[in-house]
Amino acid sequence: MGKYDDIIHLPHHVSAKHPQMPALDRAAQFSPFAALTGYETAIAETARLVDRRIELDENRKEELDEKLQMAREQLALEPEIAVTYFVPDAKKDGGAYVQTIGIIKKLDDIGQRIFMKDGTVIPICDIYGLESSIFRSVD
């Protein structure tokens, strides 16, 4: 004789006071929930790769200084310039190297920034590379 043999064959109880819950609502009680809200986002952020900033040697710094001087002399001609620079990541150590191509609007010696015509502002200390047809003699 089993533990529940006396009740196993009884009819299912139906309440006279309370209506039966629809199957969809009943199933919703057992649906999964986000116990660890934000966990997936945190994992994705941890997995996101960032680049390390490359420290420039003195030769590279001199080359960039020469190119910036040439760009300053050619500002009136509005040559197109490709600037590769480091953008620090707001959430992690490191960042990314990006390239923008455009025309320099202004070189700010005091603030050490380049203002592009499209509104991009680039700190000179973050520049990794400058390319343009005006630099052919420097390369």
Side-chain angles (χ1 to χ4, degrees), residues 47-94:
R48 186 172 56 87
L49 297 176
V50 293
D51 294 326
R52 284 189 169 156
R53 182 188 298 260
I54 299 169
E55 293 298 323
L56 303 179
D57 62 16
E58 289 304 314
N59 292 336
R60 181 71 176 199
K61 287 179 184 178
E62 285 178 26
E63 179 185 323
L64 288 175
D65 285 343
E66 287 178 30
K67 288 182 176 183
L68 283 171
Q69 185 59 36
M70 291 174 90
R72 180 177 283 106
E73 293 167 0
Q74 301 289 326
L75 277 178
L77 300 176
E78 297 186 338
E80 188 171 74
I81 295 181
V83 183
T84 304
Y85 61 102
F86 184 78
V87 177
D89 193 283
K91 297 181 181 181
K92 299 172 87 168
D93 283 342

Side-chain angles (χ1 to χ4, degrees), residues 2-133:
K3 190 173 181 180
Y4 298 105
D5 284 346
D6 59 334
I7 63 170
I8 196 79
H9 297 293
L10 290 177
H12 178 71
H13 172 72
V14 177
S15 173
K17 283 184 171 181
H18 304 288
Q20 229 176 356
M21 182 183 283
L24 188 62
D25 292 344
R26 185 165 170 75
Q29 291 180 349
F30 301 100
S31 66
F33 64 98
L36 300 173
T37 305
Y39 180 72
E40 291 296 324
T41 305
I43 292 294
E45 177 61 27
T46 302
R48 186 172 56 87
L49 297 176
V50 293
D51 294 326
R52 284 189 169 156
R53 182 188 298 260
I54 299 169
E55 293 298 323
L56 303 179
D57 62 16
E58 289 304 314
N59 292 336
R60 181 71 176 199
K61 287 179 184 178
E62 285 178 26
E63 179 185 323
L64 288 175
D65 285 343
E66 287 178 30
K67 288 182 176 183
L68 283 171
Q69 185 59 36
M70 291 174 90
R72 180 177 283 106
E73 293 167 0
Q74 301 289 326
L75 277 178
L77 300 176
E78 297 186 338
E80 188 171 74
I81 295 181
V83 183
T84 304
Y85 61 102
F86 184 78
V87 177
D89 193 283
K91 297 181 181 181
K92 299 172 87 168
D93 283 342
Y97 281 92
V98 296
Q99 184 179 59
T100 187
I101 298 173
I103 297 170
I104 296 176
K105 178 179 177 181
K106 177 183 172 187
L107 281 164
D108 179 12
D109 291 326
I110 300 193
Q112 292 292 299
R113 298 174 293 186
I114 294 177
F115 293 87
M116 304 294 281
K117 280 206 170 186
D118 66 1
T120 305
V121 179
I122 304 168
I124 291 175
C125 63
D126 291 336
I127 294 175
Y128 179 74
L130 291 167
E131 299 299 324
S132 177
S133 60

